[in-house]
Amino acid sequence: MTPIDLNADLGEGFGRWRLTDDEQLLSVVTSANVACGFHAGDATTMRRVCALAAERGVRIGAQVSYRDLAGFGRRAMDVPPDELAAEVAYQIGALEVFARAAGSRVSYVKPHGALYNRVVRDEEQAGAVVEGVLLADPSLPVLGLPSSRVLKLAEQAGLPAVTEAFADRAYTEEGTLVPRTQDGAVITDPDAVLERSLGLARFGVVTSHSGEHVAVRARSLCLHGDTPGAVDMARRVRAGLEAAGVRVEAFA
């Protein structure tokens, strides 16, 4: 059985405001998608999360985003490709400083929110993300949806492409994520999340929003840090996977 990585979006705070329980989630996941200041996060938060991740042997990933603090990076934006590439590289570079200071390094890159969904199909924006990663470090893996444009372009550019699935998000029949504006897009029932996690990790299958079985082959499984009850859910998922004989380990 192929090993599965567990990743979560962390460091999603700003100043005195915190959204994610970074300390607790870092005791469960194997990879941390750290906000780099564009949709959430700031220098102090980035430094703290990198130190905690390094201490616990969790891989540090740069979660790059459109420059959209007010909208948490979830609003549609049109950014010129050269500007987006520079901003992606900028975010990776900022996180790398704190990762290195903690005795670790940035091990991969994952787009966030609106950018994540945009680069599934948008060739131009996907190319800009890949260019930004190449500017920062041409050895970094890119994490994204299977069959997305960003992963195909990453592979063509010589970057490792790593497929990802979501245990707590609803899927369309095409294997893309149901927009958060639709009812049922986020799955909060712990039993349902565990069942979907097992199906994805063991069989590469998930039930779509309409009830159809969809093939989703993924090396990494995401649990959103801002989902209600995220810590308990993550613990249940990891325990359930290990009980089912699934090896949980980082991909990077």
Side-chain angles (χ1 to χ4, degrees), residues 48-159:
R48 175 178 56 81
V49 175
C50 283
L52 287 169
E55 178 184 301
R56 299 176 189 190
V58 175
R59 302 297 186 270
I60 297 169
Q63 186 160 45
V64 298
S65 170
Y66 287 127
R67 189 189 292 269
D68 181 27
L69 274 176
F72 198 61
R74 288 180 175 159
R75 297 185 292 191
M77 302 182 74
D78 288 311
V79 180
D82 58 342
E83 184 178 330
L84 180 58
E87 292 189 338
V88 166
Y90 178 92
Q91 292 175 77
I92 297 168
L95 188 65
E96 179 70 9
V97 168
F98 299 116
R100 292 283 183 182
S104 184
R105 62 183 294 271
V106 171
S107 296
Y108 65 95
V109 177
K110 175 183 173 178
H112 165 81
L115 181 59
Y116 186 96
N117 291 313
R118 182 77 171 267
V119 298
V120 170
R121 294 192 175 96
D122 191 309
E123 185 92 6
E124 187 176 68
Q125 295 284 279
V129 169
V130 170
E131 182 185 345
V133 177
L134 290 169
L135 280 171
D137 183 343
S139 70
L140 287 176
V142 177
L143 189 59
L145 282 185
S147 302
S148 61
R149 294 308 305 161
V150 72
L151 290 194
K152 289 186 177 180
L153 292 177
E155 281 187 327
Q156 291 172 14
L159 297 170

